[in-house]
Amino acid sequence: MRLSRGIVALALFFVAMAAAPLFLGDYPLAILILVLFAAYLGQAWNIMMGFAGLLSLGHALYYGLGAYLSAALFAHYGISPWLGMLAGIAAAVATGSAVGALSFRFRVGGVYFALLTIAFSEFTRILFDHLHWFGSSSGLFLPVTGRAGADLVSLRGPTVMFYYLLLAATAAVLLLSRILLDRRIGYYWRAIREDEEAAQASGIDVFRYKLAAVALSAGLTAIAGVFHAFYYNNLYPETIFAMGRSIELMLPAIIGGLGTLFGPILGAFVLVGISEGLTSLTAGLGIDGLKQLLYGLVLGLVVTLQPGGLWPWIALRLGLRGAMR
Amino acid sequence: MTAAPLLEIVGVSKHFRGLRAVDDVSFSVERGSIVALIGPNGAGKTTVFNLIAGVHHPDTGSIRLDGAEIAGLRPDQACNAGIGRTFQIVRPFGGLSVLENVVIGALRRSADVAAARHAAREILSRLGLAEKETARASSLTLPERKRLETARALATGPKILLLDEVMAGLRPVEVDAMVGTFHELSRDTGLTILLTEHVMRAVMALSHHIVVLHHGQKICEGTPEAVARDQRVLDSYLGAAAPATAR
Ligand SMILES: Nc1ncnc2c1ncn2[C@@H]1O[C@H](COP(=O)(O)OP(=O)(O)OP(=O)(O)O)[C@@H](O)[C@H]1O
Ligand SMILES: [Mg+2]
């Protein structure tokens, strides 16, 4: 394939991101980490909703499973977070598959499926409030060591280490999404998203492909949970499994463009940018809730003006087609 | 030894809450033939299609494709067994391109996307949709959507193609073009077709054999000429004016 403008632009983007820590201090870097968390999670959620049309309002569940399992295994037994990650992925995939299988088998679709995802997530939050091994409601903490040396094996290290891990993970999921969309599974997901009955009539085992979307999305989300645990070092069920997190997690894909490849990444920049901008704007005013109100207004405006998301609109203007859609 | 029919429907019934939509219907479709299932609105034609394609499961009776029982299969299993169907109320993948719609059908035969695209393009040009391949399916006109519906079903590589009123709403010239397309398909590929149609012009021009349904029951079957002369068919469906418009 020709080296299209899209590929070149994308390469430049990742080079710039990779170079950023050389020029940025700790604070801007921490903001960029927020962007990368949002971008990565938006991509993971997008696989379910954007590709296969399955609305999950409970992705905090999979995030929390990744975070808690890896953190607890490390805190109690000193097990490497990478092994903990495997446990977290396994738990998230199993839980996601169970939620999916239950709904799809009994033909719970659309909004009712979304409600079920909330129910599972909320149930897990309450459950974790009472599990001592996970620190229950008073929280699970990881020992904070010096952030000088980067210990990749046990994920103890400075901000910049997490920055590069998240950047690599974001690039990897972008590549994975691209590859999957071009394969049979990607076509089948989009067929299911567009019309499940017609998809079935075309020979597609809808149950199986929907389950694959949930499992993949859940597993990828758990990975971000692991990074969260080792970056922030403290976990509370109230914040990890919060409904608000599940909502926040969907926004980059919605703002950037559902079902698009670069949309969630663009959406993450826009969202964190707006949020940070509003924080500094409203900081001196001392009016409670003003920031949240303005944030909501801006999001409402974006969604009203560009219901398909920002990326399709920008991609059209940049003359990008195909590869970067 | 005579070859067994490709599709055999034996004593099939289906009722919806007391309504006998299909009542003890039997008929068969010979390999390579074009058979029409006709009858007034609500006769049960679409329901028969849905029974064959696995959307509904018959209360009684058996449906055999190539000798294997297919009644009770899921729609995707029926498709994989060799049933390609169109929907009377078209169901395109609206947000996808015309080509992608047909590629999805073609992927049933091979997981290789490049091969599926190649096969899909061939089918699109057969159905006169080649120029539309990059258009969004939702932007097509109704006649185009009906052809897309047919292309997608054909792309799955069916043993038998079920066409549910794909010529409804077409102008006479367009009907003739579609009839030509199906004649060619049947001649070139030996494809077996079962169709329902109210456009008698198409039914008479295409079918080797006609089955007439009325209130869920088969009231008559035979060659087009025989069926057009049958008094029960004239009374229930074709009416006095029909033979004149038949050709
Ligand atoms: N899923 C269903 N639930 C309840 N009743 C149904 C269902 N599908 C069909 N019917 C009823 O069964 C009868 C046969 O309908 P069907 O759609 O098979 O007729 P048809 O011959 O295809 O008619 P048309 O020419 O109008 O398409 C009708 O009375 C219809 O209302
Ligand atoms: Mg019908």
Side-chain angles (χ1 to χ4, degrees), chain B residues 45-46 88 164-165:
Chain B
K45 305 179 295 290
T46 297
Q88 181 174 351
D164 199 347
E165 298 197 22

Side-chain angles (χ1 to χ4, degrees), chain B residues 46-96:
Chain B
T46 297
T47 306
V48 168
F49 274 25
N50 281 335
L51 289 167
I52 298 170
V55 174
H56 299 314
H57 299 159
D59 302 331
T60 58
S62 119
I63 302 173
R64 281 193 292 272
L65 181 71
D66 242 349
E69 184 65 44
I70 59 164
L73 293 185
R74 289 194 313 260
D76 55 303
Q77 295 170 325
C79 179
N80 285 306
I83 304 289
R85 68 90 49 98
T86 67
F87 291 94
Q88 181 174 351
I89 298 165
V90 292
R91 313 187 72 122
F93 301 126
L96 306 184

Side-chain angles (χ1 to χ4, degrees), chain B residues 11 27 47 58 67 82 88 99 112 114 117 139 149 151 155 176 186 189 231:
Chain B
F27 66 92
T47 306
Q88 181 174 351
L99 180 63
D112 178 8
R117 288 173 80 87
S139 74
E149 193 76 15
D176 291 344
S186 156
T189 65
Q231 197 53 45

Side-chain angles (χ1 to χ4, degrees), chain A residues 25-311:
Chain A
D26 254 7
Y27 179 69
L29 205 59
I31 305 286
L32 274 187
I33 284 196
L34 293 183
V35 172
L36 289 175
F37 265 118
Y40 177 89
L41 288 167
Q43 291 187 110
W45 182 81
N46 193 40
I47 290 174
M48 251 178 88
M49 180 64 193
F51 297 173
L54 300 167
L55 176 58
S56 165
L57 292 175
H59 255 47
L61 168 58
Y62 314 125
Y63 191 75
L65 288 175
Y68 264 107
L69 273 170
S70 58
L73 288 172
F74 182 73
H76 295 311
Y77 310 118
I79 291 175
S80 162
W82 298 101
L83 289 176
M85 186 183 280
L86 292 183
I89 292 172
V93 168
T95 313
S97 303
V99 180
L102 207 64
S103 330
F104 307 149
R105 190 55 84 206
F106 295 104
R107 296 177 180 275
V108 177
V111 180
Y112 301 100
F113 171 71
L115 286 179
L116 205 65
T117 62
I118 298 182
F120 269 84
S121 172
E122 287 293 281
F123 171 78
T124 312
R125 178 177 62 80
I126 295 163
L127 181 72
F128 271 66
D129 266 343
H130 301 284
L131 294 178
H132 284 290
W133 197 66
F134 292 111
S136 61
S137 57
S138 37
L140 181 66
F141 304 93
L142 295 180
V144 183
T145 51
R147 292 210 153 180
D151 177 2
L152 259 181
V153 176
S154 40
L155 282 184
R156 311 278 68 201
T159 308
V160 67
M161 181 183 87
F162 289 95
Y163 177 85
Y164 281 117
L165 283 171
L166 281 163
L167 184 62
T170 303
V173 177
L174 181 65
L175 187 67
L176 179 70
S177 298
R178 160 91 253 168
I179 290 170
L180 290 179
L181 271 190
D182 278 348
R183 299 179 68 97
R184 174 152 77 176
I185 193 170
Y187 280 87
Y188 278 7
W189 278 339
R190 283 178 289 162
I192 292 166
R193 177 188 76 197
E194 295 294 321
D195 190 323
E196 216 172 301
E197 253 185 74
Q200 247 190 329
S202 306
I204 301 173
D205 184 347
V206 167
F207 180 82
R208 197 175 125 203
Y209 282 93
K210 279 160 81 169
L211 217 55
V214 179
L216 178 61
S217 182
L220 291 174
T221 302
I223 293 175
V226 176
F227 293 146
H228 176 111
F230 287 78
Y231 179 60
Y232 290 106
N233 295 312
N234 61 70
L235 302 172
Y236 299 94
E238 270 60 47
T239 55
I240 291 295
F241 293 111
M243 262 297 293
R245 180 182 302 284
S246 293
I247 304 287
E248 207 174 275
L249 196 148
M250 323 188 303
L251 294 179
I254 294 173
I255 296 291
L258 277 179
T260 65
L261 285 171
F262 198 70
I265 299 177
L266 175 73
F269 274 94
V270 171
L271 284 164
V272 175
I274 293 174
S275 171
E276 291 303 313
L278 288 174
T279 303
S280 48
L281 257 176
T282 56
L285 300 176
I287 306 173
D288 272 355
L290 181 63
K291 186 204 151 184
Q292 282 72 11
L293 182 72
L294 291 176
Y295 188 69
L297 277 177
V298 175
L299 292 194
L301 205 66
V302 172
V303 174
T304 313
L305 293 178
Q306 281 307 320
L310 293 172
W311 178 243

Side-chain angles (χ1 to χ4, degrees), chain B residues 14-203:
Chain B
K14 177 72 188 175
H15 69 266
F16 299 111
R17 292 205 197 87
L19 171 79
R20 292 190 146 277
V22 176
D23 192 359
D24 195 22
V25 167
S26 302
F27 66 92
S28 38
V29 179
E30 298 296 331
R31 219 169 285 272
S33 70
I34 301 181
V35 173
L37 189 61
I38 66 171
N41 292 114
K45 305 179 295 290
T46 297
T47 306
V48 168
F49 274 25
N50 281 335
L51 289 167
I52 298 170
V55 174
H56 299 314
H57 299 159
D59 302 331
T60 58
S62 119
I63 302 173
R64 281 193 292 272
L65 181 71
D66 242 349
E69 184 65 44
I70 59 164
L73 293 185
R74 289 194 313 260
D76 55 303
Q77 295 170 325
C79 179
N80 285 306
I83 304 289
R85 68 90 49 98
T86 67
F87 291 94
Q88 181 174 351
I89 298 165
V90 292
R91 313 187 72 122
F93 301 126
L96 306 184
S97 74
V98 165
L99 180 63
E100 285 170 327
N101 266 265
V102 183
V103 166
I104 286 165
L107 282 168
R108 195 200 69 76
R109 283 182 289 169
S110 123
D112 178 8
V113 173
R117 288 173 80 87
H118 184 76
R121 285 216 167 90
E122 228 160 64
I123 288 168
L124 281 175
S125 64
R126 224 181 226 290
L127 282 149
L129 282 172
E131 285 96 81
K132 294 274 175 183
E133 72 165 53
T134 58
R136 263 170 88 99
S138 60
S139 74
L140 298 184
T141 63
L142 185 63
E144 285 169 342
R145 284 179 205 211
K146 297 234 165 191
R147 273 185 280 159
L148 176 60
E149 193 76 15
T150 308
R152 188 177 63 197
L154 204 52
T156 65
K159 290 177 180 164
I160 181 168
L161 184 62
L162 311 184
L163 301 172
D164 199 347
E165 298 197 22
V166 289
M167 301 192 212
L170 299 194
R171 286 178 284 125
V173 227
E174 294 169 328
V175 168
D176 291 344
M178 278 290 249
V179 165
T181 305
F182 291 129
H183 265 312
E184 266 174 42
L185 264 174
S186 156
R187 193 193 57 218
D188 301 351
T189 65
L191 181 71
T192 309
I193 298 175
L194 175 63
L195 57 93
T196 76
E197 203 55 70
H198 286 296
V199 182
M200 285 313 291
R201 180 191 177 83
V203 171

